[in-house]
């Protein structure tokens, strides 16, 4: 594993001045710390992906099938037929450069191929060189390139240096979405078995075991049992959730990261406490035990194969509707793809909150709502006994998760919740929140440990915005509604903005929630002493 | 270097028209055959492009959501930035197409010592693009008075408004000035901004800019300096339209240069990035409503996939599930 550079080293290396040499003639230089390990044979076999083999990124020979060019070009032709977005985004970019400095990876590396426009040109040049007469004839002069092994390796490097956050798409005058281009480029790479293990492994786990961490049913139960003990110790209340229970009213699906590592586990305790306090008739599922969809980072087909479990399990258990936990890309998938892939969910009912009676018309078809929508509605109707003073020691800011922000548009619900459970809330600068939010630097399956330098660089713009509110207002807590954020932001904060912790929104709710029959609370869920609080 | 080659190409095109008329007397070729050909290629080409795009489906609803979603009734949603209805999506497209809404958001980000990032407002590109495109549009509308007899009052009105400042004789059209100023800015930006220069392609990006500049300059020369006889030009354009072409007598060669460059632009248009004009209407991140959870959206090529079923899962884990008290289907 590459040595982690010092913050000052990273900063001093960033240079936005483009090199002298044209990008078409600039060979890709694979730097350690900036890429993830290649996918393992076993992971690809599990999900029936082509070309499973043992290979290494730094090897010269990537063990490709002999007709790999044909496979990729055919794959490209097929996708041009299937996706208008792909065809249009290949054709209409005018290279105005509005996107150039919008990518967090570009801002953190200065590498021109991380400008969204050039990232797309890596693919577009091959499109021109192979599908357009002018590019076939005039070649590089008309921006066309042939698909060589170097080009393919360049694709691999840069399309696994894009977190599909869509920030560039907000600024593009034509709405060209690099996430869409990256997704298709990754599909093409996957036709040759060119994945990264941090995506392929979790995807295989999701497929076989239901969740990306590979937690088996009894382990899920044990993990949650452990959290129940913790809850009892902190609150004096014993919570007893159910698993795979038929006839429950609601199925709850959250990213499995919440069951496993801090600070996600505190958010998970938050869900358990909240649902217990409401007396909600709900169940967890061990089969559909992952909201996050690692297939989404490989191909539409695998994404659909993994997503299918949610509806299948809802049907098997006979629930009425579904609540989803705090996760970024899970919600992009649910909002933009699930119903199309695996609907119609006509065996479910339009979600109605059993506590407030609110009918969630916005989820009329998918029958699945976000926990923040659910909680905001509870607070609005005064159904929660909250004591925000318990969060008095926190100066909180909110990180909009890319996918929820730009693939769904949920901005107000989490803010409304935070403002009701925390006395001190401060926004980061306007250009770094809401639809302009910056990525944690580790999205779309890139939060491995071997690419830590890339993550630290990619997360730099986010970290600097947090640093600003830390210096201005003394912010010490970064709230988010994404499990990858909860995994990726703590090391990012430790590195760039020490003194800022990371939390899920539901953890903040649970800490403020005065439960029926609770003992006198002296600590929060993390076991930290609560400030002197007046009940 | 990137700029010189397309510049050379435009100079050659100008010379071609000049020599073709002045020395070779090819009035029929430059005045009739090429214009017909150009219009034909333009119309067929653009239609072909749009049909080709439209042939590919939009399998998923993927709007970029730039504002609050429609959710709980007491939360105000962004009806244009994150439209939940078709009308909202049309509103969003109107804002995009007429006002370049997304480009208006543009910022420029700098890394400063500290370190910290500065996100500065960057409206110049938006302004120049807006001035250029609107001016171009008005210039095209203005030219319609040459093709329609009698001239419709709306076109006359646009001409009067365009020249409302009443400077000089003939009156200076603001659109001409705007067109040239806007496009000059875009060209200079493409040359002087290192990042934009780096991403620019020699032919695809510089050639259309230089071509349009040459068209604008030749047009301005014709109107204000060489003074071409508009009456005979109108007879010529009307003849073209009626398929009874007449070659205008005694028209300065600058007219043929202007016309030839316009023809080249029309021919080049469907094969270049200039088709963004049509493509923007079809951009799925902008023209769809974000009502994905409310309404089911169909993917025409959706096909069944291999899944790992619950039965297979339980088969594998049954004993361990039973041990921890998780209910199973089969005992």
């Amino acid at each position: 594993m590459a040595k982690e550079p010092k913050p000052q080293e990273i900063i001093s290396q960033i240079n936005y001045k483009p090199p002298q040499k044209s990008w078409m003639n600039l060979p890709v230089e694979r730097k350690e710390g900036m890429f993830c390990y290649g996918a393992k044979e076993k992971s690809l076999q599990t999900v029936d992906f082509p070309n499973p083999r043992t290979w290494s990124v730094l090897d010269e020979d990537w063990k490709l099938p002999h007709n790999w060019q044909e496979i990729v070009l055919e794959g490209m032709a097929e996708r041009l037929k299937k996706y208008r977005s792909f065809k249009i985004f290949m054709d209409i970019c005018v290279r105005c450069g509005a996107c150039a400095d919008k990518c967090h990876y570009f801002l953190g590396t200065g590498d021109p191929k991380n400008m969204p426009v050039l990232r797309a040109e890596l693919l577009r040049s091959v499109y021109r060189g192979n599908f357009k007469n002018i590019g076939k004839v005039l070649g590089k002069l008309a921006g066309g390139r042939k698909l060589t092994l170097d080009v393919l390796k360049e694709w691999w490097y840069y399309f696994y240096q894009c977190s599909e956050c869509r920030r560039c798409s907000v600024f593009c005058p034509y709405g060209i979405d690099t996430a869409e281009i990256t997704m298709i480029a990754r599909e093409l790479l996957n036709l040759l078995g060119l994945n990264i293990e941090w995506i392929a492994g979790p995807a295989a786990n999701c497929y076989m075991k239901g969740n990306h961490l590979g937690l088996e049913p009894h382990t899920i139960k044990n993990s949650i049992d452990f959290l129940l003990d913790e809850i009892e110790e902190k609150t004096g209340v014993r919570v007893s959730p159910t698993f795979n229970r038929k006839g429950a009213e609601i199925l709850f699906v959250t990213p499995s990261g919440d069951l496993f590592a801090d600070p996600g586990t505190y958010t998970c305790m938050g869900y358990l406490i909240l649902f217990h306090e409401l007396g909600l008739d709900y169940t967890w599922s061990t089969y559909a035990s992952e909201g996050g969809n690692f297939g989404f980072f490989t191909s539409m087909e695998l994404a659909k194969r993994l997503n299918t479990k949610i509806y299948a399990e809802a049907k098997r258990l006979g629930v009425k509707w579904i609540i989803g936990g705090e996760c970024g890309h899970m919600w992009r998938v649910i909002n933009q793809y699930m119903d199309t892939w695996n609907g119609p969910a006509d065996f479910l009912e339009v979600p109605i909150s059993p506590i407030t009676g609110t009918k969630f018309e916005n989820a009329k078809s998918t029958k699945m709502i976000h926990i923040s929508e659910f909680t905001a509605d509870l607070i609005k109707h005064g159904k929660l006994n909250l004591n925000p003073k318990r969060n008095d020691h926190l100066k909180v800011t909110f990180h909009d998760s890319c996918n929820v922000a730009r693939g769904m548009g949920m901005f107000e619900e989490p803010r409304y919740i935070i403002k009701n459970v925390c006395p001190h809330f401060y926004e980061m600068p306007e250009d770094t929140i809401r639809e302009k939010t910056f990525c944690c630097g580790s999205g779309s399956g890139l939060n491995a440990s071997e690419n830590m330098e890339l993550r630290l660089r990619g997360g730099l713009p986010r970290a600097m915005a947090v640093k600003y509110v830390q210096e201005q207002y003394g912010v010490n807590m970064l709230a988010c509604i994404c499990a990858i954020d909860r995994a990726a932001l703590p090391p990012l904060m430790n590195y760039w903005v020490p003194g800022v912790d990371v939390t899920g929104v539901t953890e903040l709710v649970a800490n403020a929630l005065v439960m029926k029959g609770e003992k006198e609370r002296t600590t929060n869920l993390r076991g930290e002493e609560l400030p002197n609080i007046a009940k | 270097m990137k700029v010189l080659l397309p510049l050379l190409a435009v100079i050659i095109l100008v010379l071609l028209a000049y020599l073709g008329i002045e020395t070779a007397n090819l009035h029929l070729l430059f005045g009739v055959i090429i214009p017909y050909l150009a219009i034909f290629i333009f119309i067929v080409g653009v239609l072909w492009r749009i049909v080709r795009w439209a042939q590919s489906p939009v399998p998923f609803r993927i709007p970029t959501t730039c504002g609050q979603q429609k959710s709980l009734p007491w939360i105000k949603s962004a009806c244009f930035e994150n439209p939940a209805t078709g009308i909202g999506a049309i509103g969003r497209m109107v804002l995009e197409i007429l006002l370049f809404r997304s480009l208006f958001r543009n910022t420029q980000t700098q890394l400063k010592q500290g370190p910290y990032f500065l996100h500065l407002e960057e409206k110049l590109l938006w302004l120049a693009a807006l001035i250029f495109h609107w001016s171009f549009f008005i210039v095209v509308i203005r030219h319609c008075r040459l093709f329609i007899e009698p001239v419709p009052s709306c076109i006359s009105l646009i001409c009067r408004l365009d020249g409302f400042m009443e400077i000089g004789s003939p009156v200076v059209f603001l659109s001409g000035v705007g067109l040239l100023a806007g496009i000059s800015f875009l060209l200079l930006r493409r040359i002087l901004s290192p990042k934009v220069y780096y991403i620019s392609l020699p032919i695809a990006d510089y050639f259309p800019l230089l071509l349009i500049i040459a068209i604008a300059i030749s047009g301005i020369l014709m109107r204000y300096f060489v003074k071409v006889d508009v009456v005979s030009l109108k007879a010529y354009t009307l003849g073209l339209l009626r398929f009874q072409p007449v070659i205008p007598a005694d028209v300065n060669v600058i007219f043929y240069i202007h016309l030839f460059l316009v023809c080249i632009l029309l021919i080049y248009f469907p094969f270049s990035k200039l088709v963004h004009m049509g493509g923007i209407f079809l951009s799925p991140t902008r023209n769809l409503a974000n009502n994905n959870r409310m309404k089911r959206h169909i993917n025409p090529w959706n096909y069944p996939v291999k899944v790992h079923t619950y039965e297979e899962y339980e088969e594998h884990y049954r004993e361990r599930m039973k041990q921890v008290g998780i209910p199973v289907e089969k005992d």
Side-chain angles (χ1 to χ4, degrees):
Chain A
M1 208 173 286
K3 209 174 135 263
E4 203 171 277
K6 299 232 165 1
Q8 202 41 51
E9 272 175 76
I10 286 188
I11 297 293
S12 63
Q13 280 167 9
I14 299 172
N15 176 12
Y16 297 139
K17 211 170 161 244
Q20 288 293 316
K21 222 172 174 182
S22 153
W23 62 268
M24 284 202 185
N25 302 322
L26 208 65
V28 57
E29 191 193 333
R30 291 187 294 274
K31 289 196 199 111
E32 284 207 63
M34 299 292 283
F35 60 83
C36 299
Y37 298 147
K40 287 182 186 149
E41 195 173 356
K42 207 175 120 236
S43 308
L44 295 184
Q45 272 162 351
T46 307
V47 289
D48 321 293
F49 268 33
N51 203 25
R53 75 226 177 275
T54 304
W55 68 295
S56 165
V57 177
L58 290 176
D59 286 350
E60 200 51 41
D61 179 11
W62 280 9
K63 302 184 186 166
L64 302 175
H66 69 279
N67 60 339
W68 67 268
Q69 274 149 315
E70 211 180 299
I71 295 174
V72 171
L73 293 176
E74 268 174 22
M76 231 168 137
E78 187 194 330
R79 281 157 186 82
L80 286 164
K81 281 204 196 84
K82 282 168 124 177
Y83 296 95
R84 188 181 300 165
S85 55
F86 185 35
K87 219 186 234 177
I88 287 204
F89 295 166
M90 286 294 105
D91 283 335
I92 65 171
C93 174
V94 302
R95 287 167 295 280
C96 71
C99 62
D101 58 356
K102 305 304 181 285
C103 174
H104 51 280
Y105 288 119
F106 174 69
L107 292 174
T109 62
D111 185 338
K113 285 173 191 167
N114 275 326
M115 294 184 204
V117 48
L118 275 201
R119 200 189 303 282
E121 288 286 317
L122 299 179
L123 197 61
R124 221 177 259 134
S125 57
V126 172
Y127 167 71
R128 285 192 212 100
N130 289 279
F131 293 88
K132 293 267 142 184
N133 291 326
I134 191 163
K136 280 187 211 166
V137 177
L138 293 178
K140 285 186 181 174
L141 211 51
R145 288 198 297 181
K146 290 287 166 221
L147 179 58
T148 63
L149 196 59
D150 282 338
V151 168
L152 186 80
K153 289 183 173 178
E154 192 177 55
W155 281 9
W156 187 88
Y157 193 67
Y158 288 103
F159 288 114
Y160 289 107
Q161 268 188 23
C162 166
S163 55
E164 304 181 358
C165 82
R166 305 184 109 195
R167 189 169 191 266
C168 48
S169 137
V170 167
F171 298 90
C172 175
Y174 318 116
I176 295 175
D177 181 6
T178 306
E180 191 75 358
I181 292 168
T182 292
M183 279 153 60
I184 284 168
R186 287 187 180 184
E187 284 205 6
L188 298 175
L189 290 165
N190 272 288
L191 295 175
L192 305 174
L194 291 174
N195 208 323
I196 61 176
E197 180 53 22
W198 220 90
I199 291 174
N205 277 339
C206 288
Y207 187 68
M208 293 307 293
K209 302 184 178 176
N211 59 79
H212 91 266
L213 291 169
L215 304 174
E216 301 182 343
H218 51 290
T219 349
I220 293 178
K221 175 108 188 343
N222 291 342
S223 297
I224 291 188
D225 280 344
F226 174 76
L227 300 182
L228 301 179
D229 294 341
E230 292 282 303
I231 292 170
E232 188 170 13
E233 190 192 316
K234 311 280 160 42
T235 66
V237 176
R238 186 70 195 181
V239 175
S240 41
T242 58
F243 297 86
N244 299 7
R245 176 167 61 92
K246 286 194 175 180
E249 184 184 357
I250 299 161
L251 170 66
F252 178 62
V253 180
T254 199
S256 62
D258 284 345
L259 309 180
F260 188 68
D262 300 346
T265 46
Y266 303 120
T267 303
C268 193
M269 288 188 227
Y271 307 141
L272 289 160
I273 289 175
L274 177 69
F275 295 157
H276 170 87
E277 185 60 17
L278 296 170
L280 209 63
D281 178 16
Y282 85 108
T283 188
W284 295 73
S285 164
T286 61
Y287 170 66
S289 48
E290 177 66 70
N293 188 324
F294 279 73
F296 192 57
F297 309 140
T298 63
S299 74
M300 278 294 148
E301 184 177 296
L302 185 56
K304 180 182 166 182
R305 289 169 68 189
L306 302 183
N307 175 265
T308 192
K309 293 184 183 183
I310 298 179
Y311 277 155
E313 188 69 340
K315 194 171 193 174
R316 185 182 75 87
L317 298 176
V319 301
K320 287 188 183 156
W321 52 282
I322 312 167
I323 296 183
E326 298 182 13
C327 182
H329 82 276
M330 158 183 172
W331 273 97
R332 179 159 181 223
V333 167
I334 286 163
N335 189 44
Q336 302 196 324
Y337 298 92
M338 178 163 79
D339 205 11
T340 303
W341 285 331
N342 295 312
D346 44 15
F347 49 90
L348 296 171
E349 293 172 14
V350 178
I352 296 177
S353 170
I355 319 297
T356 65
T358 299
K359 190 171 185 181
F360 289 89
E361 296 282 351
N362 61 326
K364 225 161 30 189
S365 185
T366 56
K367 278 91 170 181
M368 183 157 179
I369 64 164
H370 192 286
I371 186 160
S372 289
E373 293 170 332
F374 180 67
T375 311
D377 175 63
L378 292 170
I379 295 175
K380 181 74 181 176
H381 285 87
K383 298 291 180 188
L384 298 180
N385 184 6
L386 298 168
N387 180 4
K389 280 276 172 202
R390 287 182 185 170
N391 287 322
D392 203 28
H393 57 302
L394 301 179
K395 291 191 164 52
V396 183
T397 190
F398 179 67
H399 162 66
D400 289 279
S401 312
C402 305
N403 282 293
V404 172
R406 290 182 283 259
M408 185 175 182
M410 190 163 74
F411 302 109
E412 295 305 334
E413 294 89 337
R415 285 178 169 80
Y416 178 80
I417 298 169
I418 295 173
K419 286 177 194 163
N420 275 284
V421 299
C422 297
H424 315 290
F425 172 69
Y426 305 93
E427 288 279 16
M428 285 182 270
E430 199 194 334
D431 287 297
T432 70
I433 54 168
R434 296 179 185 263
E435 68 270 13
K436 294 180 197 161
T437 186
F438 277 109
C439 180
C440 61
S442 310
S444 82
L446 301 184
N447 54 328
S449 47
E450 66 266 20
N451 65 335
M452 191 48 92
E453 182 176 341
L454 176 75
R455 295 173 49 189
L456 296 171
R457 287 176 180 272
L460 181 65
R462 167 43 75 226
M464 291 303 111
V466 177
K467 192 166 144 237
Y468 177 81
V469 282
Q470 185 193 40
E471 284 166 2
Q472 289 286 312
Y473 313 110
V475 160
N476 54 15
M477 189 55 94
L478 177 59
C480 61
I481 44 170
C482 171
I484 294 292
D485 284 337
R486 286 190 285 277
L489 290 172
L492 188 75
M493 292 299 113
N494 278 340
Y495 187 85
W496 292 112
V497 206
V500 175
D501 273 336
V502 178
T503 180
V505 168
T506 308
E507 179 190 342
L508 297 172
V509 173
N511 275 326
L513 187 66
V514 180
M515 298 174 79
K516 292 183 271 295
E518 70 176 14
K519 67 174 190 186
E520 196 189 339
R521 294 277 287 271
T522 54
T523 70
N524 61 17
L525 292 175
R526 300 185 178 204
E528 297 160 352
E529 289 291 318
L530 285 178
N532 288 334
I533 44 166
K535 272 228 170 165
Chain B
M1 195 52 224
K2 275 185 186 175
V3 196
L4 288 183
L5 203 72
L7 182 64
L8 196 68
V10 173
I11 291 172
I12 289 172
L13 290 172
V14 172
L15 282 177
L16 266 180
Y18 179 80
L19 296 174
I21 296 299
E22 289 290 281
T23 62
N25 264 316
L26 298 169
H27 290 80
L28 185 68
L29 178 69
F30 282 91
V32 179
I33 297 172
I34 292 177
Y36 273 134
L37 197 68
I39 290 169
F40 177 77
I41 292 176
F42 175 76
I43 293 173
V44 174
V46 169
L47 285 178
W48 176 76
R49 281 312 276 265
I50 291 172
V51 169
R52 289 266 300 159
W53 285 326
Q55 275 172 347
S56 298
V58 181
F60 304 108
R61 294 232 130 188
I62 51 164
T64 314
T65 54
C66 297
Q68 173 62 35
Q69 66 167 353
K70 184 167 164 35
S71 61
L72 295 159
W74 47 275
I75 291 176
K76 195 176 173 295
S77 66
C79 55
F80 294 128
E81 297 284 26
N82 189 355
T85 61
I87 292 169
I90 290 171
R92 182 180 202 182
M93 288 305 285
V94 167
L95 287 174
E96 282 299 340
I97 289 162
L98 300 184
L99 299 174
F100 302 177
R101 175 72 188 90
S102 292
L103 200 52
F104 186 75
R105 262 189 284 262
N106 198 18
T107 53
Q108 194 211 72
T109 302
Q110 297 170 353
L111 179 60
K112 298 283 178 192
Q113 277 311 313
Y116 62 95
F117 283 103
L118 257 187
H119 307 279
L120 301 163
E121 294 255 340
E122 162 59 6
K123 299 272 186 271
L124 265 183
L125 174 61
W126 169 80
L127 190 66
L130 202 66
I131 289 174
F132 162 65
H133 282 87
W134 271 104
S135 299
F136 205 151
F137 179 67
I138 292 167
V139 168
V140 170
I141 297 284
R142 252 200 301 112
H143 275 68
C144 288
R145 80 201 146 116
L146 294 173
F147 294 88
I148 307 169
E149 185 59 42
V151 177
S153 54
C154 58
I155 292 180
S156 306
L157 180 70
I158 287 174
C159 291
R160 273 204 305 281
L161 287 176
D162 199 2
F164 87 103
M165 290 180 74
E166 304 204 358
I167 306 165
S169 171
V171 174
V172 171
F173 282 133
L174 289 179
S175 57
V177 179
L179 174 63
L180 203 55
I183 198 160
S184 302
F185 175 86
L186 295 180
L187 178 68
L188 284 176
R189 177 177 174 273
R190 212 173 261 292
I191 295 170
L192 299 178
S193 158
K195 265 194 290 228
V196 185
Y197 183 79
Y198 194 70
I199 60 176
S200 297
L201 292 172
I203 294 180
D205 293 322
Y206 289 101
F207 177 68
L209 284 175
L210 290 163
L211 185 65
I212 293 169
I213 289 177
I215 290 171
I217 291 175
S218 57
I220 287 169
L221 281 177
M222 216 179 348
R223 178 172 168 83
Y224 303 104
F225 300 98
V226 185
K227 311 251 168 129
V228 179
D229 178 15
V230 180
V231 178
S232 70
L233 275 191
K234 184 142 186 180
Y236 160 76
T237 51
L238 290 175
L240 274 186
L241 274 185
R242 289 182 194 125
F243 294 102
Q244 294 162 341
V246 277
I247 289 164
D250 290 334
V251 175
N252 190 287
V253 67
I254 191 79
F255 163 72
Y256 284 97
I257 293 175
H258 184 69
L259 179 64
F260 182 59
L261 294 177
V262 170
C263 289
I264 295 293
L265 184 69
L266 291 175
I267 293 169
Y268 178 70
F269 195 96
F271 307 99
S272 67
K273 69 169 190 179
L274 300 177
V275 289
H276 68 263
M277 188 183 100
I280 183 166
F281 289 90
L282 297 177
S283 183
T285 54
R286 291 290 186 269
N287 69 8
L288 296 173
N290 175 30
N291 56 3
N292 312 314
R293 283 193 290 153
M294 291 170 230
K295 281 195 185 138
R296 182 144 198 267
H297 190 67
I298 305 292
N299 172 357
W301 49 262
N302 197 21
Y303 54 89
V305 293
K306 186 180 156 194
V307 297
H308 187 65
T309 62
Y310 175 79
E311 289 70 30
E312 290 167 308
Y313 172 84
E314 188 186 297
E315 203 56 49
H316 196 81
Y317 291 113
R318 186 172 297 118
E319 287 316 309
R320 277 170 277 182
M321 287 166 84
K322 274 154 70 179
Q323 271 168 20
V324 293
I326 297 174
V328 290
E329 298 264 341
K330 275 194 257 172
D331 257 316

